[in-house]
Amino acid sequence: MQYHGSSAYDQSVFLKAYLARRHRPNSPNNLIERPIMLELIGEITGKRVLDLGCGDGRFSADLIERGCCFYEGVEGSLQMVQEAQAHIEAHSSSIQHISMEDWQPNEASVDLAVSRLAVHYLRDTHNLFTKVYHALREDGEWIFSVQHPLLTASMKSADIGGARTDWIVDDYFENGKRSEPWIGEQIVKYHRTIEDYIQGCLRAGFSILDLREGKPLKALFENEAEFARRLRIPLFLIIKCKKNP
């Protein structure tokens, strides 16, 4: 069976395995992607933040620590929403149980929109980017991460399994659906090139402020072998945009 969007996270066994994997000490999400996201976000004192595909909501603590005055999460999985409600501060946060496809923005309501490793689940990014543009106030910023396109291009290496030190890149310019074997299930993602993501942001009305490919920092790794392994394959693509007037 193939799972689309957030549907896999409503499977209790999958969710439990995912959360254990996601929050393990050497998770690349924590050692590589999260520090870059926080660097690009910077200080956000007094700003309202929208988190699309917010998962278990734990990122809200990082945002509130940096001055976010209100955190709004959007999440399609009911089980993830329930996890998030256990981690957010109710007086300064809210969670909507709705998919990113069905979510409708309040015009000019937030200063910053973020999404961590969720956009690659969407068939149509143009619709989402346009909605994010309308949700942002003047000079608002849009910062999102996705699985690196070198990884989503082909799942031949994913089929092999294990701790990989290289990756087969194939069909790179053939955009569209990919099915990845992950945590014992088949998870549907949508491949796009780096160019596609950049052009999509530009067409929606954004200017590009920064782009990162998840280069790891040695200081964040206790295990040198793990650091050396993570230097070999890019895992993440992170893009920072600004709403043009």
Side-chain angles (χ1 to χ4, degrees):
M1 179 177 179
Q2 293 183 342
Y3 288 97
H4 293 256
S6 59
S7 61
Y9 300 100
D10 278 329
Q11 312 307 310
S12 297
V13 173
F14 182 89
L15 178 65
K16 183 178 179 179
Y18 165 79
L19 291 174
R21 180 184 180 92
R22 173 66 179 80
H23 297 298
R24 70 192 192 275
N26 65 343
S27 165
N29 303 66
N30 294 330
L31 296 180
I32 301 175
E33 183 258 357
R34 175 176 170 268
I36 295 173
M37 287 290 293
L38 291 175
E39 178 192 345
L40 294 179
I41 288 169
E43 183 182 341
I44 49 175
T45 300
K47 293 186 176 182
R48 297 178 66 92
V49 180
L50 171 69
D51 186 358
L52 293 163
C54 67
D56 64 9
R58 296 192 191 193
F59 197 46
S60 64
D62 288 322
L63 297 169
I64 290 171
E65 182 180 330
R66 279 157 178 75
C68 164
C69 68
F70 193 82
Y71 169 89
E72 179 183 353
V74 170
E75 174 56 48
S77 162
L78 178 58
Q79 288 198 161
M80 274 295 198
V81 169
Q82 292 167 347
E83 285 284 330
Q85 288 169 340
H87 294 119
I88 66 169
E89 298 180 25
H91 69 280
S92 57
S93 307
S94 72
I95 301 291
Q96 288 189 60
H97 176 216
I98 191 170
S99 69
M100 290 187 288
E101 293 94 334
D102 293 334
W103 164 73
Q104 294 299 321
N106 293 318
E107 193 79 16
S109 58
V110 297
D111 303 287
L112 170 67
V114 300
S115 181
R116 296 182 63 190
L117 302 169
V119 172
H120 51 238
Y121 290 117
L122 300 182
R123 183 192 300 271
D124 177 10
T125 54
H126 176 71
N127 184 45
L128 178 71
F129 291 175
T130 300
K131 291 192 293 185
V132 170
Y133 184 90
H134 289 295
L136 289 169
R137 294 171 176 166
E138 185 177 352
D139 294 327
E141 293 180 343
W142 166 224
I143 305 172
F144 67 97
S145 64
V146 293
Q147 193 170 358
H148 198 287
L150 290 187
L151 299 185
T152 59
S154 170
M155 294 301 169
K156 294 176 183 178
S157 292
D159 288 332
I160 298 170
R164 293 171 290 272
T165 55
D166 57 15
W167 193 270
I168 297 169
V169 178
D170 198 5
D171 298 322
Y172 185 76
F173 290 105
E174 293 292 335
N175 293 351
K177 178 182 173 181
R178 305 289 192 271
S179 181
E180 178 181 7
W182 190 46
I183 318 182
E185 301 292 352
Q186 290 291 325
I187 308 300
V188 172
K189 298 177 180 179
Y190 289 88
H191 169 67
R192 298 170 185 88
T193 66
I194 296 174
E195 179 180 340
D196 291 328
Y197 281 114
I198 294 299
Q199 290 298 321
C201 292
L202 294 174
R203 284 195 298 272
F206 293 101
S207 57
I208 308 299
L209 299 182
D210 208 335
L211 182 150
R212 307 290 181 88
E213 293 185 276
K215 182 178 180 180
L217 296 176
K218 188 173 184 179
L220 299 179
F221 285 76
E222 295 182 359
N223 185 305
E224 289 195 14
E226 180 68 6
F227 171 68
R229 186 169 79 92
R230 294 305 185 188
L231 283 173
R232 301 189 66 169
I233 306 169
L235 300 182
F236 307 108
L237 175 68
I238 303 105
I239 299 173
K240 180 178 182 177
C241 308
K242 182 177 181 180
K243 179 176 180 175
N244 290 324

